[in-house]
Amino acid sequence: MKELAGLFLKLGFIAFGGPAAHIAMMREEVVRRRRWMSDQHFLDLLGATNLIPGPNSTEMAIHIGYARGGWPGLLVSGLCFIGPALAIVLALAWVYVRYGTLPEAGAVLYGVKPVIIAIVIQALWGLGWTAIRGPMLAVLGAATLALYLLGVNELVLLAGGALVTTLAVTASRGRPAGLSGLLPFAAAAPAAAAAGAFSLSTLFLTFLKIGAVLYGSGYVLLAFLRGDFVVRLGWLTDRQLLDAVAVGQVTPGPVFTTATFVGYLLGGWGGALLATLGIFLPSFVFVAASHPFIARLRRSPWAAALLDGVNVAALALMAGVTWQLGRAAIVDWLTTAIAVTSAILLFRFRISSVWVIAGGALAGALATLL
């Protein structure tokens, strides 16, 4: 337990760069340096995280803890990986609420927001080459994007993506797929919450729902946050959502701690803790339930088809929300220049997103001073 706690606390403080970078760091530590497991075992765990909802890198930490130390290891590794990001985001949320309207803080966020748009576009480009592996998936992605921009609920679109690809496999094999492949979407109907007064219970249940059904990259979280907190509940503006995403990007650890920032913004310390609990709790449950069946899931053609459909639909949601948030982030010639420069640095020169974010913050601050 001490080894697990030490490793994942360290990673929680230094794991910048998003889920792919986090997983690469975990492999370096547990396969190459510590030799806790083989590469094949590590890849099996990674495949399992892609078949269940939730943040991939956090679920990898939980899987590794479970494999190394059973139930106690599951809890220790997950909590230690999340804990540092939780503390840092809480501190930044307090600063934002206290000083966020001052010109200095506004200037930093003014420069960071267009960088975030460029980072998400880079993620879309890289993930798209992996996820879209044929004409059917390309058409599915385009249709999902169009429907999202027309206002269709994001949970319905994810469920639709899974259903289309699962039915395609069923048709090609000439026999019905088991209903078990669609169980993750049994509770995926649109949330019925209406815009109105803030409540902690609604905050917790909304984040619990998101944590229980969200597939794909952490960036897909943007679509869910905007759909629930900007559009349906009306508790946040697009600019506040971008600020929350920016804070999630400049801190180490899981991108899902954006929920911590949103919770603090809406409900103070209690809101932050409830939002964090809600969005991460399903990951612990799903890992505990799926870990014993990893080998079987890995060989299932219907599980693979479901994953293909969900991944493409998730990418389409990312594209749609990037377009919508881009209109709030890129508002003049300077933010346009920052976004274009960031894209060039990320795509052409492969500069770490941490340094590009720092450059955007500096550009925003200098623009205000000058």
Side-chain angles (χ1 to χ4, degrees):
M1 294 307 107
K2 289 180 181 179
E3 289 177 329
L4 284 171
L7 170 60
F8 285 105
L9 278 174
K10 180 182 79 170
L11 290 175
F13 278 111
I14 67 170
F16 288 93
H22 302 169
I23 290 169
M25 292 179 188
M26 290 179 195
R27 179 184 175 276
E28 176 69 20
E29 292 284 350
V30 305
V31 176
R32 298 189 62 185
R33 292 187 59 191
R34 300 166 190 263
R35 301 187 183 278
W36 287 352
M37 61 183 63
S38 66
D39 255 331
Q40 185 59 61
H41 191 183
F42 187 87
L43 285 172
D44 287 347
L45 297 182
L46 182 58
T49 66
N50 287 322
L51 289 171
I52 58 177
N56 286 359
S57 59
T58 303
E59 288 172 347
M60 274 300 291
I62 299 170
H63 267 303
I64 291 167
Y66 194 1
R68 181 71 174 168
W71 281 90
L74 174 147
L75 294 172
V76 166
S77 59
L79 293 175
C80 288
F81 185 61
I82 296 166
L86 169 65
I88 295 169
V89 171
L90 273 175
L92 291 176
W94 179 84
V95 171
Y96 177 85
V97 169
R98 188 175 179 90
Y99 301 109
T101 57
L102 295 178
E104 293 82 358
V108 170
L109 291 173
Y110 166 83
V112 168
K113 291 174 189 176
V115 178
I116 299 303
I117 300 301
I119 290 172
V120 178
I121 291 173
Q122 183 198 32
L124 276 170
W125 181 260
L127 293 169
W129 284 105
T130 302
I132 301 173
R133 296 195 300 267
M136 186 194 75
L137 291 175
V139 171
L140 175 62
T144 302
L145 174 59
L147 291 171
Y148 175 74
L149 293 176
L150 290 173
V152 177
N153 182 272
E154 55 274 3
L155 297 182
V156 172
L157 294 175
L158 285 174
L163 181 62
V164 166
T165 50
T166 305
L167 290 176
V169 168
T170 301
S172 69
R173 290 177 171 259
R175 61 181 184 272
L179 292 178
S180 59
L182 301 177
L183 284 179
F185 298 97
F198 171 78
S199 77
L200 287 174
S201 60
T202 301
L203 177 74
F204 172 75
L205 291 174
T206 301
F207 275 113
L208 185 68
K209 176 200 72 175
I210 291 173
V213 301
L214 193 153
Y215 275 87
S217 163
Y219 296 116
V220 183
L221 178 65
L222 306 183
F224 283 80
L225 292 178
R226 189 176 187 277
D228 281 318
F229 292 102
V230 177
V231 177
R232 280 188 282 280
L233 293 170
W235 291 350
L236 294 176
T237 65
D238 271 334
R239 290 189 177 275
Q240 288 175 317
L241 177 57
L242 271 170
D243 293 342
V245 174
V247 168
Q249 284 294 311
V250 300
T251 53
V255 176
F256 275 46
T257 48
T258 298
T260 307
F261 187 91
V262 172
Y264 186 88
L265 196 62
L266 296 173
W269 297 101
L273 296 176
L274 281 175
T276 307
L277 176 64
I279 201 164
F280 283 109
L281 180 61
S283 293
F284 288 88
V285 175
F286 288 140
V287 169
S290 66
H291 193 93
F293 303 101
I294 287 175
R296 187 185 306 174
L297 289 172
R298 190 168 175 264
R299 294 190 298 266
S300 168
W302 287 283
L306 181 145
L307 182 61
D308 284 342
V310 168
N311 283 345
V312 169
L315 287 177
L317 292 178
M318 288 171 62
V321 79
T322 301
W323 168 257
Q324 292 164 330
L325 293 179
R327 292 183 296 175
I330 302 172
V331 294
D332 53 29
W333 71 267
L334 181 56
T335 50
T336 301
I338 292 172
V340 171
T341 303
S342 300
I344 292 171
L345 292 173
L346 290 166
F347 280 92
R348 176 67 180 83
F349 297 102
R350 307 290 183 180
I351 303 297
S352 168
S353 60
V354 176
W355 296 111
V356 182
I357 289 169
L362 180 60
L366 288 176
T368 299
L369 291 175
L370 297 175

PDB file of all heavy atoms in Angstrom, residues 246-284:
ATOM      1  N   ALA A 246      -9.900  25.589 -18.735  1.00  0.00           N
ATOM      2  CA  ALA A 246      -8.531  26.106 -18.698  1.00  0.00           C
ATOM      3  C   ALA A 246      -7.835  25.694 -17.404  1.00  0.00           C
ATOM      4  O   ALA A 246      -6.671  25.273 -17.412  1.00  0.00           O
ATOM      5  CB  ALA A 246      -8.541  27.628 -18.837  1.00  0.00           C
ATOM      6  N   VAL A 247      -8.531  25.790 -16.283  1.00  0.00           N
ATOM      7  CA  VAL A 247      -7.949  25.385 -15.004  1.00  0.00           C
ATOM      8  C   VAL A 247      -7.652  23.887 -15.011  1.00  0.00           C
ATOM      9  O   VAL A 247      -6.601  23.442 -14.531  1.00  0.00           O
ATOM     10  CB  VAL A 247      -8.892  25.757 -13.842  1.00  0.00           C
ATOM     11  CG1 VAL A 247      -8.454  25.081 -12.546  1.00  0.00           C
ATOM     12  CG2 VAL A 247      -8.924  27.269 -13.652  1.00  0.00           C
ATOM     13  N   GLY A 248      -8.577  23.079 -15.575  1.00  0.00           N
ATOM     14  CA  GLY A 248      -8.330  21.645 -15.671  1.00  0.00           C
ATOM     15  C   GLY A 248      -7.105  21.309 -16.505  1.00  0.00           C
ATOM     16  O   GLY A 248      -6.432  20.321 -16.259  1.00  0.00           O
ATOM     17  N   GLN A 249      -6.798  22.169 -17.491  1.00  0.00           N
ATOM     18  CA  GLN A 249      -5.655  21.920 -18.364  1.00  0.00           C
ATOM     19  C   GLN A 249      -4.319  22.325 -17.744  1.00  0.00           C
ATOM     20  O   GLN A 249      -3.294  21.713 -18.026  1.00  0.00           O
ATOM     21  CB  GLN A 249      -5.840  22.689 -19.680  1.00  0.00           C
ATOM     22  CG  GLN A 249      -6.838  22.058 -20.621  1.00  0.00           C
ATOM     23  CD  GLN A 249      -6.362  20.714 -21.121  1.00  0.00           C
ATOM     24  OE1 GLN A 249      -5.240  20.567 -21.578  1.00  0.00           O
ATOM     25  NE2 GLN A 249      -7.225  19.719 -21.039  1.00  0.00           N
ATOM     26  N   VAL A 250      -4.310  23.376 -16.933  1.00  0.00           N
ATOM     27  CA  VAL A 250      -3.041  23.870 -16.395  1.00  0.00           C
ATOM     28  C   VAL A 250      -2.637  23.143 -15.119  1.00  0.00           C
ATOM     29  O   VAL A 250      -1.592  23.440 -14.546  1.00  0.00           O
ATOM     30  CB  VAL A 250      -3.082  25.399 -16.135  1.00  0.00           C
ATOM     31  CG1 VAL A 250      -3.364  26.157 -17.424  1.00  0.00           C
ATOM     32  CG2 VAL A 250      -4.123  25.747 -15.075  1.00  0.00           C
ATOM     33  N   THR A 251      -3.452  22.197 -14.671  1.00  0.00           N
ATOM     34  CA  THR A 251      -3.122  21.434 -13.466  1.00  0.00           C
ATOM     35  C   THR A 251      -2.793  19.994 -13.839  1.00  0.00           C
ATOM     36  O   THR A 251      -3.252  19.488 -14.860  1.00  0.00           O
ATOM     37  CB  THR A 251      -4.313  21.446 -12.481  1.00  0.00           C
ATOM     38  OG1 THR A 251      -5.500  21.016 -13.161  1.00  0.00           O
ATOM     39  CG2 THR A 251      -4.538  22.841 -11.928  1.00  0.00           C
ATOM     40  N   PRO A 252      -1.982  19.304 -13.030  1.00  0.00           N
ATOM     41  CA  PRO A 252      -1.673  17.892 -13.301  1.00  0.00           C
ATOM     42  C   PRO A 252      -2.847  16.997 -12.941  1.00  0.00           C
ATOM     43  O   PRO A 252      -3.823  17.435 -12.340  1.00  0.00           O
ATOM     44  CB  PRO A 252      -0.472  17.631 -12.398  1.00  0.00           C
ATOM     45  CG  PRO A 252      -0.693  18.551 -11.233  1.00  0.00           C
ATOM     46  CD  PRO A 252      -1.305  19.794 -11.818  1.00  0.00           C
ATOM     47  N   GLY A 253      -2.725  15.732 -13.297  1.00  0.00           N
ATOM     48  CA  GLY A 253      -3.744  14.762 -12.900  1.00  0.00           C
ATOM     49  C   GLY A 253      -4.932  14.738 -13.839  1.00  0.00           C
ATOM     50  O   GLY A 253      -4.901  15.289 -14.935  1.00  0.00           O
ATOM     51  N   PRO A 254      -6.040  14.102 -13.420  1.00  0.00           N
ATOM     52  CA  PRO A 254      -7.189  13.880 -14.301  1.00  0.00           C
ATOM     53  C   PRO A 254      -7.839  15.182 -14.757  1.00  0.00           C
ATOM     54  O   PRO A 254      -8.057  16.099 -13.950  1.00  0.00           O
ATOM     55  CB  PRO A 254      -8.160  13.077 -13.425  1.00  0.00           C
ATOM     56  CG  PRO A 254      -7.356  12.548 -12.291  1.00  0.00           C
ATOM     57  CD  PRO A 254      -6.241  13.522 -12.084  1.00  0.00           C
ATOM     58  N   VAL A 255      -8.183  15.242 -16.054  1.00  0.00           N
ATOM     59  CA  VAL A 255      -8.917  16.398 -16.585  1.00  0.00           C
ATOM     60  C   VAL A 255     -10.295  16.493 -15.935  1.00  0.00           C
ATOM     61  O   VAL A 255     -10.885  17.576 -15.849  1.00  0.00           O
ATOM     62  CB  VAL A 255      -9.045  16.274 -18.119  1.00  0.00           C
ATOM     63  CG1 VAL A 255      -9.885  17.404 -18.699  1.00  0.00           C
ATOM     64  CG2 VAL A 255      -7.663  16.282 -18.767  1.00  0.00           C
ATOM     65  N   PHE A 256     -10.805  15.364 -15.428  1.00  0.00           N
ATOM     66  CA  PHE A 256     -12.132  15.352 -14.822  1.00  0.00           C
ATOM     67  C   PHE A 256     -12.213  16.199 -13.559  1.00  0.00           C
ATOM     68  O   PHE A 256     -13.309  16.442 -13.051  1.00  0.00           O
ATOM     69  CB  PHE A 256     -12.558  13.914 -14.505  1.00  0.00           C
ATOM     70  CG  PHE A 256     -13.192  13.196 -15.659  1.00  0.00           C
ATOM     71  CD1 PHE A 256     -12.629  13.255 -16.927  1.00  0.00           C
ATOM     72  CD2 PHE A 256     -14.340  12.449 -15.490  1.00  0.00           C
ATOM     73  CE1 PHE A 256     -13.205  12.598 -17.997  1.00  0.00           C
ATOM     74  CE2 PHE A 256     -14.921  11.770 -16.552  1.00  0.00           C
ATOM     75  CZ  PHE A 256     -14.356  11.853 -17.808  1.00  0.00           C
ATOM     76  N   THR A 257     -11.088  16.651 -13.006  1.00  0.00           N
ATOM     77  CA  THR A 257     -11.172  17.557 -11.854  1.00  0.00           C
ATOM     78  C   THR A 257     -11.692  18.927 -12.269  1.00  0.00           C
ATOM     79  O   THR A 257     -11.890  19.791 -11.412  1.00  0.00           O
ATOM     80  CB  THR A 257      -9.810  17.698 -11.159  1.00  0.00           C
ATOM     81  OG1 THR A 257      -8.793  17.960 -12.131  1.00  0.00           O
ATOM     82  CG2 THR A 257      -9.471  16.450 -10.365  1.00  0.00           C
ATOM     83  N   THR A 258     -11.952  19.126 -13.553  1.00  0.00           N
ATOM     84  CA  THR A 258     -12.743  20.283 -13.982  1.00  0.00           C
ATOM     85  C   THR A 258     -14.056  20.313 -13.209  1.00  0.00           C
ATOM     86  O   THR A 258     -14.590  21.381 -12.903  1.00  0.00           O
ATOM     87  CB  THR A 258     -13.018  20.203 -15.494  1.00  0.00           C
ATOM     88  OG1 THR A 258     -11.771  20.230 -16.199  1.00  0.00           O
ATOM     89  CG2 THR A 258     -13.869  21.367 -15.966  1.00  0.00           C
ATOM     90  N   ALA A 259     -14.583  19.129 -12.885  1.00  0.00           N
ATOM     91  CA  ALA A 259     -15.817  19.052 -12.101  1.00  0.00           C
ATOM     92  C   ALA A 259     -15.642  19.695 -10.732  1.00  0.00           C
ATOM     93  O   ALA A 259     -16.570  20.324 -10.205  1.00  0.00           O
ATOM     94  CB  ALA A 259     -16.237  17.591 -11.945  1.00  0.00           C
ATOM     95  N   THR A 260     -14.468  19.541 -10.141  1.00  0.00           N
ATOM     96  CA  THR A 260     -14.195  20.163  -8.847  1.00  0.00           C
ATOM     97  C   THR A 260     -14.328  21.682  -8.947  1.00  0.00           C
ATOM     98  O   THR A 260     -14.930  22.339  -8.080  1.00  0.00           O
ATOM     99  CB  THR A 260     -12.770  19.805  -8.375  1.00  0.00           C
ATOM    100  OG1 THR A 260     -12.612  18.383  -8.400  1.00  0.00           O
ATOM    101  CG2 THR A 260     -12.500  20.331  -6.982  1.00  0.00           C
ATOM    102  N   PHE A 261     -13.765  22.240 -10.002  1.00  0.00           N
ATOM    103  CA  PHE A 261     -13.823  23.690 -10.214  1.00  0.00           C
ATOM    104  C   PHE A 261     -15.267  24.141 -10.396  1.00  0.00           C
ATOM    105  O   PHE A 261     -15.708  25.122  -9.792  1.00  0.00           O
ATOM    106  CB  PHE A 261     -12.984  24.060 -11.441  1.00  0.00           C
ATOM    107  CG  PHE A 261     -12.837  25.527 -11.662  1.00  0.00           C
ATOM    108  CD1 PHE A 261     -11.770  26.221 -11.114  1.00  0.00           C
ATOM    109  CD2 PHE A 261     -13.757  26.219 -12.425  1.00  0.00           C
ATOM    110  CE1 PHE A 261     -11.632  27.584 -11.315  1.00  0.00           C
ATOM    111  CE2 PHE A 261     -13.633  27.581 -12.632  1.00  0.00           C
ATOM    112  CZ  PHE A 261     -12.560  28.263 -12.080  1.00  0.00           C
ATOM    113  N   VAL A 262     -16.020  23.417 -11.240  1.00  0.00           N
ATOM    114  CA  VAL A 262     -17.417  23.774 -11.466  1.00  0.00           C
ATOM    115  C   VAL A 262     -18.207  23.683 -10.162  1.00  0.00           C
ATOM    116  O   VAL A 262     -19.016  24.567  -9.841  1.00  0.00           O
ATOM    117  CB  VAL A 262     -18.038  22.860 -12.539  1.00  0.00           C
ATOM    118  CG1 VAL A 262     -19.550  23.079 -12.641  1.00  0.00           C
ATOM    119  CG2 VAL A 262     -17.377  23.109 -13.896  1.00  0.00           C
ATOM    120  N   GLY A 263     -17.976  22.615  -9.396  1.00  0.00           N
ATOM    121  CA  GLY A 263     -18.683  22.460  -8.126  1.00  0.00           C
ATOM    122  C   GLY A 263     -18.399  23.579  -7.168  1.00  0.00           C
ATOM    123  O   GLY A 263     -19.309  24.096  -6.494  1.00  0.00           O
ATOM    124  N   TYR A 264     -17.128  24.020  -7.070  1.00  0.00           N
ATOM    125  CA  TYR A 264     -16.791  25.132  -6.174  1.00  0.00           C
ATOM    126  C   TYR A 264     -17.414  26.426  -6.666  1.00  0.00           C
ATOM    127  O   TYR A 264     -17.926  27.232  -5.872  1.00  0.00           O
ATOM    128  CB  TYR A 264     -15.279  25.293  -6.072  1.00  0.00           C
ATOM    129  CG  TYR A 264     -14.871  26.332  -5.037  1.00  0.00           C
ATOM    130  CD1 TYR A 264     -14.684  25.966  -3.707  1.00  0.00           C
ATOM    131  CD2 TYR A 264     -14.715  27.667  -5.378  1.00  0.00           C
ATOM    132  CE1 TYR A 264     -14.339  26.906  -2.757  1.00  0.00           C
ATOM    133  CE2 TYR A 264     -14.372  28.613  -4.431  1.00  0.00           C
ATOM    134  CZ  TYR A 264     -14.180  28.225  -3.125  1.00  0.00           C
ATOM    135  OH  TYR A 264     -13.852  29.174  -2.180  1.00  0.00           O
ATOM    136  N   LEU A 265     -17.389  26.636  -7.969  1.00  0.00           N
ATOM    137  CA  LEU A 265     -17.955  27.855  -8.541  1.00  0.00           C
ATOM    138  C   LEU A 265     -19.439  27.972  -8.221  1.00  0.00           C
ATOM    139  O   LEU A 265     -19.953  29.060  -7.943  1.00  0.00           O
ATOM    140  CB  LEU A 265     -17.747  27.834 -10.058  1.00  0.00           C
ATOM    141  CG  LEU A 265     -17.902  29.141 -10.831  1.00  0.00           C
ATOM    142  CD1 LEU A 265     -16.894  30.171 -10.375  1.00  0.00           C
ATOM    143  CD2 LEU A 265     -17.761  28.886 -12.324  1.00  0.00           C
ATOM    144  N   LEU A 266     -20.139  26.827  -8.213  1.00  0.00           N
ATOM    145  CA  LEU A 266     -21.587  26.844  -8.000  1.00  0.00           C
ATOM    146  C   LEU A 266     -21.985  26.686  -6.536  1.00  0.00           C
ATOM    147  O   LEU A 266     -22.969  27.277  -6.103  1.00  0.00           O
ATOM    148  CB  LEU A 266     -22.233  25.722  -8.815  1.00  0.00           C
ATOM    149  CG  LEU A 266     -22.115  25.837 -10.331  1.00  0.00           C
ATOM    150  CD1 LEU A 266     -22.637  24.574 -11.007  1.00  0.00           C
ATOM    151  CD2 LEU A 266     -22.870  27.052 -10.843  1.00  0.00           C
ATOM    152  N   GLY A 267     -21.214  25.874  -5.777  1.00  0.00           N
ATOM    153  CA  GLY A 267     -21.660  25.545  -4.423  1.00  0.00           C
ATOM    154  C   GLY A 267     -20.606  25.579  -3.352  1.00  0.00           C
ATOM    155  O   GLY A 267     -20.781  24.953  -2.300  1.00  0.00           O
ATOM    156  N   GLY A 268     -19.493  26.279  -3.591  1.00  0.00           N
ATOM    157  CA  GLY A 268     -18.461  26.395  -2.564  1.00  0.00           C
ATOM    158  C   GLY A 268     -17.768  25.067  -2.295  1.00  0.00           C
ATOM    159  O   GLY A 268     -17.742  24.172  -3.141  1.00  0.00           O
ATOM    160  N   TRP A 269     -17.220  24.938  -1.078  1.00  0.00           N
ATOM    161  CA  TRP A 269     -16.450  23.735  -0.728  1.00  0.00           C
ATOM    162  C   TRP A 269     -17.300  22.478  -0.811  1.00  0.00           C
ATOM    163  O   TRP A 269     -16.867  21.445  -1.327  1.00  0.00           O
ATOM    164  CB  TRP A 269     -15.869  23.872   0.676  1.00  0.00           C
ATOM    165  CG  TRP A 269     -14.899  24.998   0.802  1.00  0.00           C
ATOM    166  CD1 TRP A 269     -15.146  26.228   1.335  1.00  0.00           C
ATOM    167  CD2 TRP A 269     -13.534  25.016   0.373  1.00  0.00           C
ATOM    168  NE1 TRP A 269     -14.009  27.015   1.263  1.00  0.00           N
ATOM    169  CE2 TRP A 269     -13.001  26.295   0.685  1.00  0.00           C
ATOM    170  CE3 TRP A 269     -12.704  24.081  -0.233  1.00  0.00           C
ATOM    171  CZ2 TRP A 269     -11.694  26.654   0.404  1.00  0.00           C
ATOM    172  CZ3 TRP A 269     -11.392  24.431  -0.515  1.00  0.00           C
ATOM    173  CH2 TRP A 269     -10.904  25.704  -0.202  1.00  0.00           C
ATOM    174  N   GLY A 270     -18.541  22.555  -0.309  1.00  0.00           N
ATOM    175  CA  GLY A 270     -19.421  21.392  -0.368  1.00  0.00           C
ATOM    176  C   GLY A 270     -19.735  20.993  -1.797  1.00  0.00           C
ATOM    177  O   GLY A 270     -19.740  19.810  -2.141  1.00  0.00           O
ATOM    178  N   GLY A 271     -19.997  21.976  -2.644  1.00  0.00           N
ATOM    179  CA  GLY A 271     -20.271  21.696  -4.044  1.00  0.00           C
ATOM    180  C   GLY A 271     -19.079  21.060  -4.743  1.00  0.00           C
ATOM    181  O   GLY A 271     -19.236  20.142  -5.552  1.00  0.00           O
ATOM    182  N   ALA A 272     -17.865  21.544  -4.433  1.00  0.00           N
ATOM    183  CA  ALA A 272     -16.653  20.986  -5.050  1.00  0.00           C
ATOM    184  C   ALA A 272     -16.478  19.520  -4.685  1.00  0.00           C
ATOM    185  O   ALA A 272     -16.185  18.679  -5.550  1.00  0.00           O
ATOM    186  CB  ALA A 272     -15.437  21.793  -4.618  1.00  0.00           C
ATOM    187  N   LEU A 273     -16.643  19.175  -3.417  1.00  0.00           N
ATOM    188  CA  LEU A 273     -16.448  17.798  -2.976  1.00  0.00           C
ATOM    189  C   LEU A 273     -17.533  16.869  -3.522  1.00  0.00           C
ATOM    190  O   LEU A 273     -17.250  15.741  -3.930  1.00  0.00           O
ATOM    191  CB  LEU A 273     -16.406  17.736  -1.447  1.00  0.00           C
ATOM    192  CG  LEU A 273     -15.226  18.482  -0.799  1.00  0.00           C
ATOM    193  CD1 LEU A 273     -15.329  18.438   0.715  1.00  0.00           C
ATOM    194  CD2 LEU A 273     -13.891  17.883  -1.264  1.00  0.00           C
ATOM    195  N   LEU A 274     -18.785  17.350  -3.546  1.00  0.00           N
ATOM    196  CA  LEU A 274     -19.866  16.522  -4.082  1.00  0.00           C
ATOM    197  C   LEU A 274     -19.702  16.298  -5.583  1.00  0.00           C
ATOM    198  O   LEU A 274     -19.939  15.194  -6.086  1.00  0.00           O
ATOM    199  CB  LEU A 274     -21.223  17.182  -3.800  1.00  0.00           C
ATOM    200  CG  LEU A 274     -21.779  17.003  -2.388  1.00  0.00           C
ATOM    201  CD1 LEU A 274     -23.057  17.807  -2.222  1.00  0.00           C
ATOM    202  CD2 LEU A 274     -22.046  15.527  -2.091  1.00  0.00           C
ATOM    203  N   ALA A 275     -19.299  17.329  -6.314  1.00  0.00           N
ATOM    204  CA  ALA A 275     -19.089  17.188  -7.756  1.00  0.00           C
ATOM    205  C   ALA A 275     -17.969  16.196  -8.038  1.00  0.00           C
ATOM    206  O   ALA A 275     -18.074  15.347  -8.935  1.00  0.00           O
ATOM    207  CB  ALA A 275     -18.769  18.554  -8.370  1.00  0.00           C
ATOM    208  N   THR A 276     -16.883  16.279  -7.265  1.00  0.00           N
ATOM    209  CA  THR A 276     -15.760  15.366  -7.447  1.00  0.00           C
ATOM    210  C   THR A 276     -16.171  13.932  -7.132  1.00  0.00           C
ATOM    211  O   THR A 276     -15.854  12.993  -7.881  1.00  0.00           O
ATOM    212  CB  THR A 276     -14.582  15.787  -6.550  1.00  0.00           C
ATOM    213  OG1 THR A 276     -14.274  17.160  -6.787  1.00  0.00           O
ATOM    214  CG2 THR A 276     -13.353  14.933  -6.824  1.00  0.00           C
ATOM    215  N   LEU A 277     -16.877  13.741  -6.026  1.00  0.00           N
ATOM    216  CA  LEU A 277     -17.353  12.402  -5.660  1.00  0.00           C
ATOM    217  C   LEU A 277     -18.271  11.852  -6.739  1.00  0.00           C
ATOM    218  O   LEU A 277     -18.144  10.678  -7.147  1.00  0.00           O
ATOM    219  CB  LEU A 277     -18.087  12.465  -4.319  1.00  0.00           C
ATOM    220  CG  LEU A 277     -18.730  11.158  -3.838  1.00  0.00           C
ATOM    221  CD1 LEU A 277     -17.669  10.099  -3.582  1.00  0.00           C
ATOM    222  CD2 LEU A 277     -19.559  11.407  -2.573  1.00  0.00           C
ATOM    223  N   GLY A 278     -19.186  12.670  -7.226  1.00  0.00           N
ATOM    224  CA  GLY A 278     -20.147  12.208  -8.221  1.00  0.00           C
ATOM    225  C   GLY A 278     -19.499  11.739  -9.504  1.00  0.00           C
ATOM    226  O   GLY A 278     -19.846  10.691 -10.042  1.00  0.00           O
ATOM    227  N   ILE A 279     -18.517  12.499  -9.999  1.00  0.00           N
ATOM    228  CA  ILE A 279     -17.960  12.166 -11.314  1.00  0.00           C
ATOM    229  C   ILE A 279     -16.957  11.008 -11.247  1.00  0.00           C
ATOM    230  O   ILE A 279     -16.800  10.263 -12.215  1.00  0.00           O
ATOM    231  CB  ILE A 279     -17.321  13.411 -11.959  1.00  0.00           C
ATOM    232  CG1 ILE A 279     -17.237  13.203 -13.478  1.00  0.00           C
ATOM    233  CG2 ILE A 279     -15.944  13.716 -11.372  1.00  0.00           C
ATOM    234  CD1 ILE A 279     -16.987  14.461 -14.252  1.00  0.00           C
ATOM    235  N   PHE A 280     -16.285  10.811 -10.096  1.00  0.00           N
ATOM    236  CA  PHE A 280     -15.282   9.750 -10.004  1.00  0.00           C
ATOM    237  C   PHE A 280     -15.817   8.447  -9.410  1.00  0.00           C
ATOM    238  O   PHE A 280     -15.238   7.383  -9.642  1.00  0.00           O
ATOM    239  CB  PHE A 280     -14.077  10.221  -9.188  1.00  0.00           C
ATOM    240  CG  PHE A 280     -13.160  11.137  -9.932  1.00  0.00           C
ATOM    241  CD1 PHE A 280     -13.086  12.477  -9.616  1.00  0.00           C
ATOM    242  CD2 PHE A 280     -12.367  10.659 -10.962  1.00  0.00           C
ATOM    243  CE1 PHE A 280     -12.243  13.339 -10.309  1.00  0.00           C
ATOM    244  CE2 PHE A 280     -11.511  11.504 -11.659  1.00  0.00           C
ATOM    245  CZ  PHE A 280     -11.454  12.849 -11.336  1.00  0.00           C
ATOM    246  N   LEU A 281     -16.883   8.492  -8.639  1.00  0.00           N
ATOM    247  CA  LEU A 281     -17.404   7.289  -7.985  1.00  0.00           C
ATOM    248  C   LEU A 281     -17.711   6.157  -8.971  1.00  0.00           C
ATOM    249  O   LEU A 281     -17.341   4.999  -8.718  1.00  0.00           O
ATOM    250  CB  LEU A 281     -18.648   7.636  -7.161  1.00  0.00           C
ATOM    251  CG  LEU A 281     -19.313   6.485  -6.418  1.00  0.00           C
ATOM    252  CD1 LEU A 281     -18.347   5.852  -5.408  1.00  0.00           C
ATOM    253  CD2 LEU A 281     -20.592   6.968  -5.710  1.00  0.00           C
ATOM    254  N   PRO A 282     -18.370   6.436 -10.127  1.00  0.00           N
ATOM    255  CA  PRO A 282     -18.642   5.326 -11.048  1.00  0.00           C
ATOM    256  C   PRO A 282     -17.383   4.612 -11.533  1.00  0.00           C
ATOM    257  O   PRO A 282     -17.426   3.400 -11.785  1.00  0.00           O
ATOM    258  CB  PRO A 282     -19.374   6.018 -12.210  1.00  0.00           C
ATOM    259  CG  PRO A 282     -20.009   7.221 -11.601  1.00  0.00           C
ATOM    260  CD  PRO A 282     -19.016   7.690 -10.572  1.00  0.00           C
ATOM    261  N   SER A 283     -16.261   5.323 -11.666  1.00  0.00           N
ATOM    262  CA  SER A 283     -15.030   4.682 -12.136  1.00  0.00           C
ATOM    263  C   SER A 283     -14.591   3.578 -11.187  1.00  0.00           C
ATOM    264  O   SER A 283     -14.174   2.494 -11.632  1.00  0.00           O
ATOM    265  CB  SER A 283     -13.913   5.725 -12.279  1.00  0.00           C
ATOM    266  OG  SER A 283     -14.207   6.635 -13.308  1.00  0.00           O
ATOM    267  N   PHE A 284     -14.642   3.829  -9.879  1.00  0.00           N
ATOM    268  CA  PHE A 284     -14.267   2.805  -8.905  1.00  0.00           C
ATOM    269  C   PHE A 284     -15.199   1.593  -9.009  1.00  0.00           C
ATOM    270  O   PHE A 284     -14.752   0.448  -8.951  1.00  0.00           O
ATOM    271  CB  PHE A 284     -14.314   3.385  -7.490  1.00  0.00           C
ATOM    272  CG  PHE A 284     -13.197   4.340  -7.187  1.00  0.00           C
ATOM    273  CD1 PHE A 284     -13.316   5.688  -7.476  1.00  0.00           C
ATOM    274  CD2 PHE A 284     -12.020   3.904  -6.594  1.00  0.00           C
ATOM    275  CE1 PHE A 284     -12.288   6.582  -7.204  1.00  0.00           C
ATOM    276  CE2 PHE A 284     -10.982   4.777  -6.306  1.00  0.00           C
ATOM    277  CZ  PHE A 284     -11.112   6.122  -6.617  1.00  0.00           C
TER     278      PHE A 284
END
